[in-house]
Amino acid sequence: MDIANLKRKVTHNQKIKTFVHWCLMSRLRCAPRLWVKIFVNPFFLKRGRGSLVKWSAILNVSPINKFTLGSNSVIENFSLIDNAVGDVTIGANSRVGLRNTVIGPVKIGNNVIIAQNVVISGLNHNYQDPNIPIHKQGVNKKPIVINDDVWVGANSTITSGVVIGHHCVIAGGSVVVCNIPPYSVCAGVPARIIKAYDFERKEWSAPIKK
């Protein structure tokens, strides 16, 4: 039986899934157990040639979901990467800046610059039932996709389900709650498009108000 079939069987059996998750992850610490980090992760997690994870970065990653770091990409000091509820994939020549938080499911493309103190989370906590503590209501998740050649400014937040197009700029301090089309600059809370590239005029200009 190959790994994909085994994972599929585990996923579809709630009792086995719960047991395997307990074996791999510490519920109290919300992190992989030490034996997973030492004996499992080096064989299952993919890192490209020349990639670098700085010494104080926290990799809360395990084989439960995918984690890949492309060639020549860097995860800076004090950043957190967490794939407990969804895949985290980072392309080549990309940089996850100081003190970033990346919680899957998240896909980051090639040549992406993520500045400092950025939060990118494909996870939300359920809260709808006022009679149950929020931490007991579970979570929902929607993948975030950051396409190639994007620059995310410092102190920004990218919320679940958002897709950021090719060659976009997210201004510092922005909260992105909806999709951003390619070749756009957005800013604000919530973020809105303030510039877009006009290929006919070959310049960046403010969108035409209708």
Side-chain angles (χ1 to χ4, degrees), residues 47-59 67-81 88-100 102 108-115:
R47 289 178 53 180
R49 182 185 298 273
S51 64
L52 176 63
V53 178
K54 294 292 186 68
W55 68 272
S56 63
I58 301 171
L59 293 185
F67 169 73
T68 60
L69 182 63
S71 58
N72 301 310
S73 288
V74 177
I75 298 174
E76 286 284 2
N77 282 318
F78 309 110
S79 286
L80 166 69
I81 309 295
V88 175
T89 62
I90 301 170
N93 305 304
S94 292
R95 181 174 292 269
V96 176
L98 290 165
R99 298 178 298 276
N100 282 197
V102 180
I108 297 171
N110 303 316
N111 303 302
V112 173
I113 303 169
I114 303 174

Side-chain angles (χ1 to χ4, degrees), residues 37-153:
K37 293 182 178 181
I38 296 173
F39 298 110
V40 179
N41 283 354
F43 301 99
F44 283 89
L45 305 180
K46 297 180 180 178
R47 289 178 53 180
R49 182 185 298 273
S51 64
L52 176 63
V53 178
K54 294 292 186 68
W55 68 272
S56 63
I58 301 171
L59 293 185
N60 279 352
V61 295
S62 75
I64 291 174
N65 293 297
K66 289 181 182 178
F67 169 73
T68 60
L69 182 63
S71 58
N72 301 310
S73 288
V74 177
I75 298 174
E76 286 284 2
N77 282 318
F78 309 110
S79 286
L80 166 69
I81 309 295
D82 192 315
N83 75 341
V85 299
D87 299 344
V88 175
T89 62
I90 301 170
N93 305 304
S94 292
R95 181 174 292 269
V96 176
L98 290 165
R99 298 178 298 276
N100 282 197
T101 298
V102 180
I103 300 174
V106 172
K107 181 179 180 181
I108 297 171
N110 303 316
N111 303 302
V112 173
I113 303 169
I114 303 174
Q116 302 79 35
N117 305 309
V118 173
V119 176
I120 303 169
S121 178
L123 172 149
N124 275 315
H125 289 275
N126 296 324
Y127 63 90
Q128 289 79 3
D129 191 333
N131 300 307
I132 301 175
I134 292 174
H135 74 89
K136 292 185 177 181
Q137 293 193 44
V139 300
N140 64 80
K141 56 185 180 179
K142 294 181 181 178
I144 293 172
V145 178
I146 300 176
N147 282 286
D148 297 347
D149 199 23
V150 168
W151 172 24
V152 181

Side-chain angles (χ1 to χ4, degrees), residues 193-208:
I193 298 170
I194 59 173
K195 287 183 182 180
Y197 190 74
D198 188 321
F199 281 88
E200 292 183 359
R201 298 166 59 186
K202 298 185 184 303
E203 66 179 17
W204 294 88
S205 57
I208 298 173

